[in-house]
Amino acid sequence: MESISVLMPRPTFPYLEEQLDGRFKLFRLWDNRTEIQFNNDSAIANSIRAVVVNSVDGADADLIGKYPNLEIVSCYGVGVDKIDTRKCADKGIRVTNTPDVLTDEAADLAIGLILALLRRLCVCDQYVRSGKWKRGNFNLTTKFSGKTVGILGLGRIGKAVAKRAEAFDCTICYHSRTVKPESKYRYHPSVVELASNCDILVVARSLTKETEHIINGEVMNALGPKGVLINVGRGKHVDEAELVCALLEGRLGGAALDVFQDEPNVPQPLFGLQNVVLTPHIGSATVETRTAMADIVIANLEAYFLGKPLLTPFL
């Protein structure tokens, strides 16, 4: 397969690059020499048969349209909302992603964010480091055990979060596009009703046009001044301007966010709030999980070019 040209528009995990380089003819578009080659020799662009992207940058219509012989877009991540899947479908281009292997990692982080927010672990750390502990004990915090956890999106990650929360004796409820007949958890027919009936609202749903800003002011008001929001889904699920207002005005008790609307840009007012925990989109960011994701990308490409069924087809 060394003669098959594969393009990476952005750098990702070094292991993935190494594996692609050893199996295919890899072009790194962020390399100046590669960019010059593409600009001066249309035959190179015409040779590209596969593109490997991450779920943050994706592949828009413009990128897809540059490569007339593109056959497959392999996403190094589970989310494909940044990939123009409609254009891919129109052109007969296959799309794959890396579900399942990052489920546990994302669910672990969601629980970690809950604990960090309720027990104010980040603030406690700074309290000790700054020497303030010598002048008095830290203020009381809030327990996690026994709380009601509402989950928006009871898919792979949502179910994994629920399983972990049960170990803390939490009551679980959820909202999703449809009722899950096999689920023992209570279903709420709207996000507002879900927020009204939980202490902790966890966003773990995939992003679509319908779910953009699904966490709006009404939902935040329903969650209330003692409720907290945890987002391990996508940044665009949350109306960030409304979130800032709700936190500053005390209409929402707190928020822990791993994803943002315009990453890596984060609303400046959040930086000064102690009832907020912020992480840089690290839901799958462990060596073990990123390696497993890379292996799936490679396996999908090899399967496709050998004429075998794709391991994790999205389209």
Side-chain angles (χ1 to χ4, degrees):
M1 295 188 186
E2 293 180 359
S3 62
I4 296 173
S5 295
V6 175
L7 175 70
M8 292 187 74
R10 297 283 187 274
T12 56
F13 189 40
Y15 169 79
L16 175 58
E17 293 179 34
E18 293 168 4
Q19 294 300 310
L20 288 169
D21 216 5
R23 290 171 164 81
F24 302 95
K25 187 176 183 179
L26 180 63
F27 290 92
R28 298 169 172 86
L29 196 55
W30 67 92
D31 185 300
N32 288 334
R33 292 169 299 178
T34 300
E35 188 175 8
I36 292 171
Q37 283 180 307
F38 272 70
N39 291 336
N40 295 333
D41 189 351
S42 61
I44 296 178
N46 291 338
S47 73
I48 298 299
R49 297 177 64 189
V51 170
V52 175
V53 298
N54 60 52
S55 58
V56 175
D57 297 311
D60 60 16
D62 182 58
L63 185 144
I64 294 167
K66 287 180 179 178
Y67 309 107
N69 295 310
L70 181 62
E71 300 173 38
I72 181 170
V73 174
S74 186
C75 181
Y76 179 63
V78 66
V80 296
D81 50 280
K82 294 291 184 70
I83 297 174
D84 193 329
T85 53
R86 178 174 295 181
K87 188 170 184 67
C88 287
D90 289 344
K91 293 175 67 68
I93 297 169
R94 303 300 303 273
V95 177
T96 66
N97 60 349
T98 61
D100 297 322
V101 293
L102 52 75
T103 296
D104 286 338
E105 233 46 278
D108 288 351
L109 179 64
I111 298 299
L113 289 174
I114 293 171
L115 288 168
L117 183 61
L118 296 185
R119 299 305 304 273
R120 301 184 69 190
L121 298 183
C122 300
V123 183
C124 284
D125 178 84
Q126 290 303 313
Y127 192 82
V128 175
R129 292 174 187 270
S130 66
K132 291 181 180 179
W133 191 18
K134 296 176 182 179
R135 301 196 293 270
N137 290 332
F138 191 77
N139 293 333
L140 298 180
T141 61
T142 302
K143 68 182 293 187
F144 174 32
S145 298
K147 291 288 192 294
T148 298
V149 176
I151 300 176
L152 175 58
L154 200 66
R156 297 182 185 91
I157 294 173
K159 289 176 182 177
V161 172
K163 180 180 178 180
R164 286 156 173 74
E166 282 191 278
F168 288 84
D169 294 322
C170 291
T171 299
I172 311 297
C173 52
Y174 75 100
H175 171 74
S176 61
R177 284 171 291 187
T178 58
V179 178
K180 307 294 183 183
E182 75 283 359
S183 174
K184 60 184 177 181
Y185 309 129
R186 182 178 178 181
Y187 173 80
H188 290 289
S190 72
V191 185
V192 173
E193 184 176 313
L194 177 67
S196 298
N197 287 278
C198 67
D199 305 300
I200 303 162
L201 178 59
V202 179
V203 181
R205 190 168 175 176
S206 58
L207 181 66
T208 63
K209 289 183 178 179
E210 292 71 30
T211 62
E212 189 168 325
H213 285 188
I214 194 170
I215 307 299
N216 54 27
E218 187 180 6
V219 172
M220 295 174 203
N221 289 338
L223 197 50
K226 292 186 177 179
V228 298
L229 173 69
I230 312 295
N231 190 5
V232 293
R234 282 287 183 267
K236 288 186 178 180
H237 281 127
V238 178
D239 184 334
E240 288 185 350
E242 185 59 41
L243 174 65
V244 169
C245 290
L247 289 166
L248 290 174
E249 295 169 5
R251 292 185 284 114
L252 180 65
L257 314 168
D258 183 50
V259 288
F260 303 89
Q261 187 164 303
D262 183 28
E263 297 174 4
N265 300 304
V266 178
Q268 191 74 24
L270 295 179
F271 296 159
L273 299 178
Q274 292 194 343
N275 59 340
V276 172
V277 175
L278 309 170
T279 53
H281 202 152
I282 58 169
S284 64
T286 65
V287 172
E288 297 89 346
T289 294
R290 291 289 173 89
T291 300
M293 290 165 59
D295 288 339
I296 291 176
V297 169
I298 296 295
N300 273 316
L301 291 176
E302 290 187 331
Y304 177 80
F305 289 115
L306 289 172
K308 297 179 180 179
L310 295 173
L311 275 72
T312 54
F314 183 85
L315 180 66

